[in-house]
């Protein structure tokens, strides 16, 4: 992948649970990494075939490999 195609800044976040001053668990987002990425456009035919008919908006980004990054 050419570095010139990585024209977007992608922030990868995960949900984290913290405890506030009252002792109540609060869910929020914490940043795992900020990387350069490329937006990959899918045609509507690929979208319908892969995910079924739906009204969701999907954005796909391509980034370089990161150790420890999983879908979990």
């Amino acid at each position: 992948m050419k570095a010139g195609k990585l024209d977007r800044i992608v922030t990868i976040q995960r949900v984290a649970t913290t405890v506030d001053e009252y002792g109540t668990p609060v869910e929020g987002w914490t940043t795992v990494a900020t990387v350069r990425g490329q937006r990959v456009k899918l045609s509507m035919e690929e979208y319908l075939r892969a995910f079924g008919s739906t009204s969701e908006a999907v954005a796909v980004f391509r980034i370089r490999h990161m150790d420890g990054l999983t879908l979990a």
Side-chain angles (χ1 to χ4, degrees), residues 2-69:
K2 295 182 180 180
K5 291 186 176 186
L6 302 177
D7 60 347
R8 309 285 175 134
I9 297 176
V10 179
T11 302
I12 301 170
Q13 297 181 330
R14 74 171 55 139
V15 68
T17 303
T18 58
V19 179
D20 66 6
E21 61 270 10
Y22 302 109
T24 306
V26 178
E27 287 190 349
W29 293 96
T30 183
T31 300
V32 174
T34 301
V35 296
R36 303 289 298 189
Q38 172 190 6
R39 184 172 179 209
V40 180
K41 296 183 180 181
L42 296 175
S43 70
M44 185 54 82
E45 178 184 341
E46 290 172 317
Y47 176 72
L48 291 175
R49 187 168 12 114
F51 298 108
S53 181
T54 183
S55 62
E56 294 178 0
V58 175
V60 178
F61 290 90
R62 179 179 294 142
I63 63 170
R64 295 193 177 180
H65 174 76
M66 288 183 56
D67 285 334
L69 183 65

